[in-house]
Amino acid sequence: MTGTFMGALSGIRIVDLTSVLMGPYTTQFLADYGADVVKVEAPMGDLVREIGPMRSPGMGPLFLNTNRSKRSISIDLKTGEGRQLLLDMCREADVLVYNIRPAAMERLGLSYEEIAAVNPRIVYAGCYGYGQDGPYAANPAYDDLIQGGACIPYLFTLAGSDEPRYVPAAIADRIVAMTTLSAILAALVSCGRTGKGQRVDVPMFETMAAFILGDHLGGLTYDPPLDGGGYARQLSPDRRPYKTADGYVCTLIYTDDHWRRFLAATGRADLMDADPRYATFSSRMANLDVVYGELSDVMLTRTSAEWMDLFNEIDVPMLWMHDLQSILKDKHLEQVNFFRPFEHPTEGPILTMANPVKMSGTPITATRPVPNLGEHTIECLTEMGLSQDTISDLIARGIVRSMAPTSKHSAATGPEGEDVTTGTAI
């Protein structure tokens, strides 16, 4: 990894005020695309640094997997001098990204108006809990809360779960992160045309409500409603990995051609003509429980490997159901070099994941190893024109924090602050 890679966003400067997961996942993509992303951390560091297991404090796996290709500078933004340093960073930046609540940004003296006053071209992008025009505007938000508010646990009960459940992944954080990424890129294109920056707001609740209801608003789309909502196929209790004679596989026998080939291969070619429930796509959708239930019984008659061979032969969509160990040996992911070993300067050998996007003209690669807290403080302040004596004074007074890039450091401590973040809870 080097800091000289020329990517699609080379020359773009990002001031990254994000922490935990949603914002850092956004800015990791920007960094992988070649932008110079400077992660501004509080003296105690990003909370997600401390989610283990880890080899040394402050370098846990969630942090390692969402903060590559960035530089880290540690500033106490609650001090006047720290705020001024941030404003000075923004003078030459193209984008400021944050995921604390907008009201907290205003209390820090870092509102859009205050940032735009020093740089009217800047894209000021916030991803946080709720739109600022509604009654939830001031509320903190985390992935679990947003999943609940967007109907996900309720949908689990419709699909047969005995109680509401969250998706066991920070799906809201990551979906909102991708929405934020696209909004930032769109705003950069607009700035390139007009020379004007703008404020970009991406609320988690509204983003996830749109994401989920795009599938499940159903008959509630119409006035008057045609039904109570919900997409029947996705909510069928039999929509799940299929148990085989020795394990599980994932398949979706979906189109008429899929069904004809599958039924012919299993000795039931006449079923589509003999049973109207199988005859058409709409009739299968109307009889999902019967169709999926019958399919579940048939899948028990062969091993997973036998089914995978058959599905490949008849061109029916399928994939292994992996666990967290078997996916590391998936032949496709091995062939495309998705998992990559890397020798981190302080953490030693770690397993990294490639950015899945490919570009023919500006190839994507990780440009820097994941930084330790404040690893680039001196480097960034020197680039801003501060003298070594000034930097040393700021460090001595706790306005900024610096860590040598090869040091093994302990978890940082600092004054307790109010809960203003949005994202994944530890």
Side-chain angles (χ1 to χ4, degrees), residues 304-335:
S304 296
E306 289 171 338
W307 282 120
M308 296 299 278
D309 288 342
L310 177 63
F311 290 148
N312 274 320
E313 179 183 337
I314 64 175
D315 193 23
V316 166
M318 55 72 205
L319 195 63
W320 296 102
M321 189 192 82
H322 280 306
D323 58 37
L324 294 175
Q325 285 75 44
S326 67
I327 192 172
L328 301 179
K329 300 299 183 183
D330 182 274
K331 63 182 181 180
H332 177 85
L333 294 179
E334 286 183 338
Q335 183 67 35

Short mmCIF file of all heavy atoms in Angstrom, two decimals, residues 304-335:
data_model
loop_
_atom_site.label_atom_id
_atom_site.label_comp_id
_atom_site.label_asym_id
_atom_site.label_seq_id
_atom_site.Cartn_x
_atom_site.Cartn_y
_atom_site.Cartn_z
N SER A 304 -25.90 -31.99 -0.72
CA SER A 304 -25.65 -30.62 -1.19
C SER A 304 -24.81 -30.63 -2.47
O SER A 304 -25.11 -29.91 -3.43
CB SER A 304 -24.94 -29.82 -0.10
OG SER A 304 -25.77 -29.67 1.04
N ALA A 305 -23.77 -31.46 -2.49
CA ALA A 305 -22.90 -31.51 -3.67
C ALA A 305 -23.66 -32.01 -4.89
O ALA A 305 -23.46 -31.51 -6.01
CB ALA A 305 -21.69 -32.41 -3.39
N GLU A 306 -24.53 -32.98 -4.70
CA GLU A 306 -25.32 -33.50 -5.83
C GLU A 306 -26.25 -32.41 -6.37
O GLU A 306 -26.39 -32.27 -7.60
CB GLU A 306 -26.11 -34.72 -5.39
CG GLU A 306 -25.26 -35.96 -5.15
CD GLU A 306 -26.02 -37.10 -4.51
OE1 GLU A 306 -27.07 -36.84 -3.86
OE2 GLU A 306 -25.57 -38.25 -4.64
N TRP A 307 -26.88 -31.65 -5.47
CA TRP A 307 -27.74 -30.57 -5.93
C TRP A 307 -26.95 -29.49 -6.65
O TRP A 307 -27.38 -28.97 -7.68
CB TRP A 307 -28.52 -29.96 -4.77
CG TRP A 307 -29.70 -30.76 -4.32
CD1 TRP A 307 -29.93 -31.29 -3.09
CD2 TRP A 307 -30.84 -31.13 -5.12
NE1 TRP A 307 -31.12 -31.98 -3.07
CE2 TRP A 307 -31.71 -31.88 -4.30
CE3 TRP A 307 -31.20 -30.91 -6.46
CZ2 TRP A 307 -32.92 -32.40 -4.76
CZ3 TRP A 307 -32.41 -31.43 -6.92
CH2 TRP A 307 -33.25 -32.16 -6.08
N MET A 308 -25.79 -29.16 -6.12
CA MET A 308 -24.98 -28.12 -6.76
C MET A 308 -24.56 -28.54 -8.17
O MET A 308 -24.60 -27.73 -9.11
CB MET A 308 -23.75 -27.81 -5.91
CG MET A 308 -24.09 -27.23 -4.53
SD MET A 308 -24.98 -25.65 -4.60
CE MET A 308 -23.62 -24.53 -4.83
N ASP A 309 -24.20 -29.80 -8.32
CA ASP A 309 -23.84 -30.31 -9.65
C ASP A 309 -25.04 -30.25 -10.60
O ASP A 309 -24.91 -29.84 -11.76
CB ASP A 309 -23.32 -31.74 -9.55
CG ASP A 309 -21.94 -31.83 -8.91
OD1 ASP A 309 -21.24 -30.79 -8.86
OD2 ASP A 309 -21.57 -32.93 -8.46
N LEU A 310 -26.21 -30.65 -10.11
CA LEU A 310 -27.40 -30.64 -10.94
C LEU A 310 -27.79 -29.22 -11.34
O LEU A 310 -28.08 -28.94 -12.51
CB LEU A 310 -28.56 -31.32 -10.22
CG LEU A 310 -29.91 -31.30 -10.97
CD1 LEU A 310 -29.79 -32.07 -12.28
CD2 LEU A 310 -31.03 -31.85 -10.10
N PHE A 311 -27.79 -28.31 -10.38
CA PHE A 311 -28.18 -26.93 -10.68
C PHE A 311 -27.22 -26.29 -11.67
O PHE A 311 -27.64 -25.51 -12.54
CB PHE A 311 -28.25 -26.11 -9.39
CG PHE A 311 -29.41 -26.48 -8.49
CD1 PHE A 311 -29.30 -26.38 -7.11
CD2 PHE A 311 -30.60 -26.92 -9.03
CE1 PHE A 311 -30.37 -26.73 -6.29
CE2 PHE A 311 -31.67 -27.27 -8.22
CZ PHE A 311 -31.56 -27.17 -6.84
N ASN A 312 -25.95 -26.59 -11.56
CA ASN A 312 -25.00 -26.09 -12.55
C ASN A 312 -25.30 -26.65 -13.94
O ASN A 312 -25.23 -25.94 -14.94
CB ASN A 312 -23.57 -26.47 -12.14
CG ASN A 312 -22.95 -25.46 -11.19
OD1 ASN A 312 -23.13 -24.27 -11.35
ND2 ASN A 312 -22.24 -25.95 -10.19
N GLU A 313 -25.66 -27.92 -13.98
CA GLU A 313 -25.94 -28.59 -15.25
C GLU A 313 -27.18 -28.02 -15.93
O GLU A 313 -27.20 -27.84 -17.15
CB GLU A 313 -26.12 -30.09 -15.01
CG GLU A 313 -26.44 -30.90 -16.25
CD GLU A 313 -26.69 -32.37 -15.92
OE1 GLU A 313 -26.20 -32.83 -14.88
OE2 GLU A 313 -27.39 -33.03 -16.71
N ILE A 314 -28.22 -27.72 -15.15
CA ILE A 314 -29.48 -27.25 -15.74
C ILE A 314 -29.62 -25.72 -15.68
O ILE A 314 -30.67 -25.19 -16.04
CB ILE A 314 -30.70 -27.93 -15.07
CG1 ILE A 314 -30.79 -27.54 -13.59
CG2 ILE A 314 -30.62 -29.45 -15.24
CD1 ILE A 314 -32.05 -28.08 -12.90
N ASP A 315 -28.57 -25.05 -15.23
CA ASP A 315 -28.53 -23.58 -15.21
C ASP A 315 -29.66 -23.00 -14.37
O ASP A 315 -30.44 -22.16 -14.82
CB ASP A 315 -28.58 -23.03 -16.63
CG ASP A 315 -28.23 -21.54 -16.68
OD1 ASP A 315 -27.55 -21.07 -15.75
OD2 ASP A 315 -28.66 -20.85 -17.63
N VAL A 316 -29.72 -23.45 -13.12
CA VAL A 316 -30.65 -22.89 -12.13
C VAL A 316 -29.81 -22.17 -11.06
O VAL A 316 -28.82 -22.72 -10.60
CB VAL A 316 -31.52 -24.00 -11.50
CG1 VAL A 316 -32.23 -23.48 -10.25
CG2 VAL A 316 -32.55 -24.49 -12.51
N PRO A 317 -30.17 -20.95 -10.68
CA PRO A 317 -29.37 -20.18 -9.72
C PRO A 317 -29.19 -20.90 -8.39
O PRO A 317 -30.16 -21.43 -7.82
CB PRO A 317 -30.18 -18.90 -9.53
CG PRO A 317 -31.00 -18.78 -10.77
CD PRO A 317 -31.34 -20.18 -11.16
N MET A 318 -27.97 -20.94 -7.91
CA MET A 318 -27.67 -21.59 -6.63
C MET A 318 -26.37 -21.03 -6.08
O MET A 318 -25.57 -20.41 -6.78
CB MET A 318 -27.57 -23.11 -6.82
CG MET A 318 -26.58 -23.56 -7.87
SD MET A 318 -24.85 -23.39 -7.42
CE MET A 318 -24.09 -23.26 -9.03
N LEU A 319 -26.16 -21.26 -4.78
CA LEU A 319 -24.90 -20.94 -4.13
C LEU A 319 -24.84 -21.71 -2.82
O LEU A 319 -25.88 -22.01 -2.21
CB LEU A 319 -24.81 -19.43 -3.84
CG LEU A 319 -23.42 -18.88 -3.48
CD1 LEU A 319 -22.43 -19.04 -4.64
CD2 LEU A 319 -23.52 -17.41 -3.08
N TRP A 320 -23.61 -22.04 -2.42
CA TRP A 320 -23.44 -22.70 -1.13
C TRP A 320 -23.93 -21.79 -0.01
O TRP A 320 -23.84 -20.57 -0.08
CB TRP A 320 -21.95 -22.99 -0.87
CG TRP A 320 -21.34 -23.96 -1.83
CD1 TRP A 320 -20.53 -23.67 -2.89
CD2 TRP A 320 -21.49 -25.39 -1.82
NE1 TRP A 320 -20.17 -24.81 -3.54
CE2 TRP A 320 -20.74 -25.89 -2.91
CE3 TRP A 320 -22.17 -26.29 -1.01
CZ2 TRP A 320 -20.65 -27.25 -3.20
CZ3 TRP A 320 -22.09 -27.64 -1.29
CH2 TRP A 320 -21.34 -28.10 -2.38
N MET A 321 -24.44 -22.38 1.07
CA MET A 321 -24.70 -21.63 2.29
C MET A 321 -23.44 -21.70 3.14
O MET A 321 -23.13 -22.73 3.72
CB MET A 321 -25.88 -22.21 3.08
CG MET A 321 -26.30 -21.30 4.23
SD MET A 321 -27.45 -22.06 5.40
CE MET A 321 -26.29 -22.98 6.43
N HIS A 322 -22.69 -20.62 3.19
CA HIS A 322 -21.43 -20.60 3.90
C HIS A 322 -21.61 -20.33 5.38
O HIS A 322 -22.60 -19.72 5.82
CB HIS A 322 -20.51 -19.52 3.32
CG HIS A 322 -19.81 -19.93 2.07
ND1 HIS A 322 -19.05 -21.07 1.98
CD2 HIS A 322 -19.73 -19.33 0.85
CE1 HIS A 322 -18.53 -21.16 0.77
NE2 HIS A 322 -18.94 -20.12 0.06
N ASP A 323 -20.61 -20.73 6.17
CA ASP A 323 -20.45 -20.23 7.52
C ASP A 323 -19.23 -19.31 7.51
O ASP A 323 -18.61 -19.08 6.47
CB ASP A 323 -20.33 -21.36 8.54
CG ASP A 323 -19.14 -22.29 8.25
OD1 ASP A 323 -18.08 -21.81 7.80
OD2 ASP A 323 -19.28 -23.51 8.47
N LEU A 324 -18.88 -18.77 8.67
CA LEU A 324 -17.82 -17.77 8.72
C LEU A 324 -16.43 -18.34 8.47
O LEU A 324 -15.49 -17.57 8.22
CB LEU A 324 -17.84 -17.05 10.08
CG LEU A 324 -19.09 -16.20 10.33
CD1 LEU A 324 -19.06 -15.63 11.74
CD2 LEU A 324 -19.20 -15.08 9.31
N GLN A 325 -16.30 -19.67 8.50
CA GLN A 325 -15.03 -20.28 8.16
C GLN A 325 -15.00 -20.73 6.70
O GLN A 325 -14.03 -20.48 5.98
CB GLN A 325 -14.74 -21.49 9.07
CG GLN A 325 -14.30 -21.12 10.48
CD GLN A 325 -15.46 -20.63 11.34
OE1 GLN A 325 -16.53 -21.22 11.33
NE2 GLN A 325 -15.24 -19.55 12.08
N SER A 326 -16.09 -21.36 6.25
CA SER A 326 -16.08 -21.88 4.88
C SER A 326 -16.02 -20.79 3.82
O SER A 326 -15.46 -20.98 2.75
CB SER A 326 -17.31 -22.77 4.64
OG SER A 326 -18.52 -22.02 4.68
N ILE A 327 -16.56 -19.60 4.12
CA ILE A 327 -16.52 -18.53 3.12
C ILE A 327 -15.09 -18.11 2.82
O ILE A 327 -14.77 -17.66 1.71
CB ILE A 327 -17.36 -17.31 3.57
CG1 ILE A 327 -17.55 -16.35 2.39
CG2 ILE A 327 -16.73 -16.61 4.77
CD1 ILE A 327 -18.50 -15.21 2.67
N LEU A 328 -14.20 -18.29 3.79
CA LEU A 328 -12.79 -17.94 3.56
C LEU A 328 -12.14 -18.83 2.52
O LEU A 328 -11.09 -18.48 1.95
CB LEU A 328 -12.01 -18.02 4.87
CG LEU A 328 -12.50 -17.12 6.01
CD1 LEU A 328 -11.65 -17.34 7.26
CD2 LEU A 328 -12.47 -15.65 5.60
N LYS A 329 -12.75 -20.00 2.24
CA LYS A 329 -12.21 -20.95 1.26
C LYS A 329 -13.07 -21.04 0.00
O LYS A 329 -12.88 -21.94 -0.81
CB LYS A 329 -12.10 -22.33 1.90
CG LYS A 329 -11.19 -22.38 3.13
CD LYS A 329 -9.76 -21.99 2.78
CE LYS A 329 -8.84 -22.10 3.98
NZ LYS A 329 -7.45 -21.65 3.67
N ASP A 330 -14.03 -20.13 -0.15
CA ASP A 330 -14.89 -20.16 -1.33
C ASP A 330 -14.03 -20.05 -2.59
O ASP A 330 -13.19 -19.13 -2.72
CB ASP A 330 -15.89 -19.00 -1.28
CG ASP A 330 -16.84 -19.00 -2.46
OD1 ASP A 330 -16.47 -18.42 -3.51
OD2 ASP A 330 -17.93 -19.57 -2.34
N LYS A 331 -14.24 -20.94 -3.54
CA LYS A 331 -13.38 -20.99 -4.72
C LYS A 331 -13.50 -19.74 -5.58
O LYS A 331 -12.53 -19.32 -6.22
CB LYS A 331 -13.67 -22.25 -5.55
CG LYS A 331 -15.09 -22.33 -6.13
CD LYS A 331 -15.29 -23.64 -6.89
CE LYS A 331 -16.69 -23.71 -7.50
NZ LYS A 331 -16.89 -25.00 -8.24
N HIS A 332 -14.69 -19.16 -5.63
CA HIS A 332 -14.85 -17.93 -6.41
C HIS A 332 -14.09 -16.77 -5.77
O HIS A 332 -13.36 -16.03 -6.45
CB HIS A 332 -16.33 -17.57 -6.56
CG HIS A 332 -16.56 -16.28 -7.28
ND1 HIS A 332 -16.62 -16.19 -8.65
CD2 HIS A 332 -16.72 -15.01 -6.81
CE1 HIS A 332 -16.81 -14.93 -9.00
NE2 HIS A 332 -16.88 -14.20 -7.91
N LEU A 333 -14.28 -16.60 -4.45
CA LEU A 333 -13.59 -15.51 -3.78
C LEU A 333 -12.08 -15.70 -3.82
O LEU A 333 -11.32 -14.73 -3.90
CB LEU A 333 -14.08 -15.40 -2.33
CG LEU A 333 -15.55 -15.00 -2.17
CD1 LEU A 333 -15.93 -14.95 -0.70
CD2 LEU A 333 -15.84 -13.67 -2.85
N GLU A 334 -11.64 -16.95 -3.79
CA GLU A 334 -10.20 -17.20 -3.94
C GLU A 334 -9.72 -16.80 -5.33
O GLU A 334 -8.67 -16.18 -5.49
CB GLU A 334 -9.90 -18.69 -3.68
CG GLU A 334 -9.97 -19.09 -2.22
CD GLU A 334 -9.59 -20.54 -2.00
OE1 GLU A 334 -9.67 -21.35 -2.96
OE2 GLU A 334 -9.21 -20.88 -0.86
N GLN A 335 -10.49 -17.13 -6.36
CA GLN A 335 -10.08 -16.86 -7.74
C GLN A 335 -10.02 -15.35 -8.02
O GLN A 335 -9.13 -14.88 -8.75
CB GLN A 335 -11.05 -17.53 -8.72
CG GLN A 335 -10.68 -17.38 -10.18
CD GLN A 335 -9.39 -18.12 -10.53
OE1 GLN A 335 -9.12 -19.19 -9.98
NE2 GLN A 335 -8.60 -17.55 -11.42
#
